[in-house]
Amino acid sequence: MFDFSIVTTWFDSLLRQTLGLGDFLSILIECVVVGVLILTAYALIAIALIFMERKVCAYFQCRLGPMRVGPWGIFQVFADVVKMLIKEIFAVDKADKFLYYLAPFLVIIASVGTFSFLPWNKGAGILDFNVGVFLITAISSIGVLGIFIAGWGSNNKYSVVSAMRGAVQMISYELSLGLCLIAAVALTGTMQVSSIVAEQTGPWNWLIVKGHIPAIIAFLVFLVAGNAEANRGPFDMAEAESELTAGYHTEYSGMGFGFYYLAEYLNLFVIAGIASTVFLGGWAPLNIGVAAFDTVMNYIPGFVWFFGKTFAVVWLLMWIRWTFPRLRIDQILKLEWKYLMPLSLLNLVLMTVCVALGWYVK
């Protein structure tokens, strides 16, 4: 398995020793390069997900999806991006201008912040702190503010109702998400994302295998709660078009709306990425204890494993969206408070008992 830290160490030594730059300039250049890479990956993955969503939706509805712009419609998303960039950005009368313009940036900051914690490959994590799981949950909660402030600052009754729905839904489902991650932390004994992946290397060491029943329960609850956290169907009551036009971003145009559109798809990728990282081994290959098979699997690059697992989870979440009908807001909250959160609490106790008594794959 290739360790990407070799590349980062070489680049750092190039700046400091070969070019003779000081600590300040070296760190500044490295931060700029990393920032450009994050934003580039953010945009490219969003474009890929939008195209994938349209094709998956078309498949489930027995149609072809976009086919006219480019072969198989692959340039349709780029045309939409150009359209979004040149659209007029208008101001809403009697809106709170500061909150109105601040809200989209809060959503993007939360999305990019959690996106930066995903480990693409061994040694390729952008942010990797010893309290990484805690920071992921903390930074992701900023998105709730962006949604609520957008509805309030727009001075639109539909947007306010949508923002209230979205905020209460996201705050509620964050509890189940956090409890599922705590169960994984209890099993691995660390909150550092890279260490969680490192604990899953080796034969049959992915968490859903290593932690068996409680880990599988945590994984399934995480997928359901993550779908709700991303405001995606069937948990998209905050954007119920038949009732609230477009929801909390009704009054946004141009890239103001584009930020929310990007964040929705990248939040989907982040949820799938965290699920694959914590429960499915992340960049760790599938090893079963057979030398020949494991050797072949280890030759596959880590980023291929990561993206393969993540897009598999993304496809599963898209399948759920285009299969189940939209839930009412009372059904959404009842599912969380009466079923998922008690189940997550009991599952955390079960995981703790299994770890204390050694009832897991070692």
Side-chain angles (χ1 to χ4, degrees):
M1 181 63 64
F2 177 74
D3 190 344
F4 200 78
S5 61
I6 297 173
V7 177
T8 57
T9 303
W10 168 82
F11 185 69
D12 182 70
S13 63
L14 173 67
L15 296 176
R16 295 174 186 269
Q17 300 175 9
T18 306
L19 299 180
L21 301 179
D23 290 343
F24 177 78
L25 283 178
S26 299
I27 294 174
L28 178 62
I29 293 173
E30 289 170 2
C31 289
V32 170
V33 171
V34 169
V36 170
L37 290 176
I38 289 176
L39 294 178
T40 302
Y42 191 92
L44 292 178
I45 291 173
I47 289 172
L49 287 174
I50 293 170
F51 181 76
M52 180 179 174
E53 175 91 286
R54 290 173 173 175
K55 288 297 185 180
V56 170
C57 169
Y59 175 79
F60 279 101
Q61 295 175 355
C62 299
R63 55 187 181 85
L64 297 177
M67 293 291 291
R68 294 179 180 273
V69 186
W72 303 289
I74 58 176
F75 296 132
Q76 180 65 56
V77 182
F78 293 95
D80 293 338
V81 170
V82 173
K83 180 197 72 172
M84 196 79 68
L85 290 172
I86 63 177
K87 287 188 73 172
E88 179 185 2
I89 300 176
F90 58 84
V92 180
D93 292 337
K94 299 181 181 179
D96 188 319
K97 295 295 192 297
F98 176 73
L99 296 180
Y100 177 80
Y101 289 114
L102 174 65
F105 289 99
L106 290 178
V107 173
I108 285 294
I109 288 171
S111 181
V112 173
T114 51
F115 178 74
S116 302
F117 277 92
L118 298 178
W120 309 95
N121 196 58
K122 184 178 181 180
I126 304 299
L127 299 178
D128 188 27
F129 299 101
N130 60 347
V131 288
V133 171
F134 172 77
L135 288 176
I136 288 174
T137 56
I139 295 174
S140 64
S141 63
I142 298 175
V144 180
L145 294 176
I147 288 176
F148 191 76
I149 290 174
W152 181 262
S154 296
N155 193 31
N156 180 303
K157 293 180 180 179
Y158 293 114
S159 297
V160 171
V161 173
S162 170
M164 293 172 65
R165 287 182 178 181
V168 71
Q169 174 181 317
M170 293 176 71
I171 291 172
S172 299
Y173 279 88
E174 278 178 357
L175 299 174
S176 291
L177 281 176
L179 290 171
C180 294
L181 292 177
I182 291 173
V185 169
L187 180 58
T188 57
T190 178
M191 285 196 291
Q192 190 168 5
V193 177
S194 61
S195 299
I196 291 176
V197 178
E199 287 288 328
Q200 301 179 74
T201 56
W204 301 111
N205 251 16
W206 292 2
L207 240 62
I208 57 170
V209 178
K210 184 176 182 178
H212 47 82
I213 295 176
I216 293 174
I217 294 174
F219 175 65
L220 295 177
V221 172
F222 186 90
L223 291 183
V224 176
N227 218 13
E229 182 74 9
N231 278 323
R232 290 180 56 82
F235 303 96
D236 57 343
M237 276 302 296
E239 304 176 17
E241 295 86 357
S242 57
E243 306 170 26
L244 305 172
T245 57
Y248 48 85
H249 49 63
T250 298
E251 301 294 350
Y252 286 90
S253 65
M255 284 310 298
F257 168 76
F259 282 168
Y260 285 102
Y261 198 55
L262 281 174
E264 176 184 342
Y265 282 97
L266 261 296
N267 287 338
L268 170 65
F269 183 83
V270 167
I271 291 296
I274 295 174
S276 63
T277 297
V278 174
F279 297 101
L280 302 178
W283 48 259
L286 174 63
N287 293 150
I288 61 175
V290 178
F293 179 85
D294 292 350
T295 301
V296 173
M297 294 297 102
N298 290 335
Y299 276 117
I300 301 176
F303 66 89
V304 174
W305 282 108
F306 174 78
F307 279 106
K309 297 171 187 176
T310 301
F311 275 99
V313 177
V314 166
W315 181 82
L316 177 61
L317 295 178
M318 288 182 178
W319 184 1
I320 292 172
R321 175 180 182 178
W322 297 108
T323 301
F324 292 97
R326 179 181 291 148
L327 301 175
R328 298 195 312 263
I329 188 64
D330 62 310
Q331 294 172 328
I332 291 174
L333 296 180
K334 183 184 294 185
L335 174 63
E336 164 62 13
W337 291 102
K338 293 186 68 174
Y339 300 101
L340 291 187
M341 194 180 72
L343 177 60
S344 300
L345 284 170
L346 291 174
N347 188 60
L348 178 58
V349 174
L350 177 60
M351 178 66 82
T352 305
V353 171
C354 289
V355 172
L357 299 179
W359 294 345
Y360 59 91
V361 180
K362 300 177 183 178

